Amino acid sequence: MEQNCLNDGESLRDSLPPHYQALFDSLARESDDHTMVMPFEMWREAFLNDADLEMAQSSYAQLSPQAYQSLIDTLDLKQFYSLSIPRSYLYCTEDTALAPLKHPVEHLNCPLNHNLRKILIHKLEKS
């Protein structure tokens, strides 16, 4: 699987490094309702590493437990493509919460991103 692009039948958990899988499995297992809240240190380093401590603590205090089921449910692309609702995709080039890509458009071979891939490759070729 390519980083940041789930294939049919894969879950978000499948895209995580093994140590995160083990941590999230453990957190969900230890909760009474199969939810999890990531540890503060992880929250701060992965999502708010440019915020001061007070801001990081304040935002962490507002987090709600996340249902673990959303991480382990598998993607059904056949159902997704059959939906008649409009859809768009954001490609966050400066996001460092997940492992970095080897090349900025490498994962865009994902079927969901063909038009975006064309735009980004054209943009990269111009620069």
Side-chain angles (χ1 to χ4, degrees):
M1 179 183 75
E2 295 184 30
Q3 183 68 35
N4 303 337
C5 181
L6 297 179
N7 296 307
D8 193 40
E10 292 177 330
S11 70
L12 183 55
R13 183 189 176 280
D14 295 333
S15 72
L16 299 172
H19 61 283
Y20 284 166
Q21 291 180 9
L23 172 66
F24 293 158
D25 291 347
S26 174
L27 290 171
R29 222 179 8 259
E30 293 169 7
S31 77
D32 293 333
D33 57 358
H34 208 58
T35 61
M36 54 166 244
V37 175
M38 70 176 63
F40 172 74
E41 296 77 17
M42 177 185 242
W43 167 255
R44 181 161 191 206
E45 288 306 312
F47 298 103
L48 289 174
N49 56 9
D50 58 348
D52 63 34
L53 181 60
E54 185 180 340
M55 172 61 81
Q57 289 172 329
S58 172
S59 64
Y60 186 78
Q62 297 178 52
L63 294 180
S64 299
Q66 177 173 334
Y68 191 60
Q69 193 66 43
S70 64
L71 293 177
I72 60 176
D73 281 345
T74 57
L75 180 64
D76 182 348
L77 282 178
K78 290 177 249 11
Q79 180 181 3
F80 176 80
Y81 286 123
S82 71
L83 298 173
S84 60
I85 58 172
R87 44 199 174 266
S88 301
Y89 312 99
L90 296 178
Y91 179 58
C92 302
T93 59
E94 304 300 317
D95 187 355
T96 60
L98 298 174
L101 301 169
K102 294 176 192 154
H103 184 276
V105 293
E106 178 179 286
H107 79 291
L108 296 176
N109 287 324
C110 174
L112 302 178
N113 295 314
H114 286 299
N115 289 335
L116 181 58
R117 183 173 194 266
K118 289 176 193 172
I119 293 166
L120 289 174
I121 288 175
H122 180 70
K123 199 173 193 180
L124 286 171
E125 288 171 349
K126 282 186 159 187
S127 50

